[in-house]
Amino acid sequence: SAAAFDNLEYSLADAGQTHVYTIHEVTPATVGWTNAADQTVTVQVGDDQGDGTLAPSTIIYEDESADAAVMDNTYEQASGSFQLGLVKTVNGEAPFSGEKFGFSATSADEGAPAIANVTTDADGSAKFAGVALSDADEGKTYTYTIHEVTKASDLPGDGDWTLAPDVTATVKVSQRDADNKLHAEVTYSSATSDGSLASFDNQYQVKTVSVRLGVKKLINGAEAPDVQQEF
């Protein structure tokens, strides 16, 4: 943007004089902004032309090739991040070795950052990639649905799997602080005891089988002579 000061008025008393002005931005810099340094402008007043008028004045800016003082402010976007995580259990216990579960985190909120799917580690935990925040996220609230994408039919074992229901993660982004940082508060509809991770507990029921045991009774190594005798 451009702006111009009011015209400077000089009299014959100023003829041939040099005046130096300092241009300073009086608007305070808010968080994220750094105001440009002051600029000096030199005005060389024209000489008395002898007819009651002054010759044109010469204006010289710090950048002598410019026709105006250039005030270049700098701006830095607010920054911050958040990360969603989960822990997976089966019947309330850590999964067996080799059992892995895939999860997605999606949001229908406008402007909500996209998050890639993850697979649990050997201990059943997983963390989605960290999400960077910027100005566009300031003061926003995003709701993510964390969903188990692994199908029950793909899980190991011959028993019956019941997948845990989806968990809702709510991310509330703060206003920027004095250090130009954004802070995100994450809460889960189903969480671990300390609230730091989403909690998923699958149920697994082993299929029942039936067997019939038999016994043959001997006496002194031979079959009992009295077939009516019971033991």
Side-chain angles (χ1 to χ4, degrees), residues 12 16 27 30 77 80 83 89 91 105 129 151 166 171 174 208 221:
L12 292 175
T27 302
T30 55
Q77 287 213 26
Q83 187 175 34
T89 54
N91 295 337
K151 297 179 181 178
D166 293 347
V171 181
S174 69
T208 58

Side-chain angles (χ1 to χ4, degrees), residues 95-130:
F96 289 133
S97 176
E99 291 181 341
K100 292 188 176 182
F101 309 87
F103 288 86
S104 65
T106 57
S107 177
D109 297 330
E110 183 178 357
I115 301 177
N117 291 4
V118 293
T119 301
T120 55
D121 295 328
D123 63 356
S125 66
K127 285 196 173 183
F128 294 92

Side-chain angles (χ1 to χ4, degrees), residues 84 133 152 206 219:
L84 304 182
L133 298 170
V206 178
I219 299 178

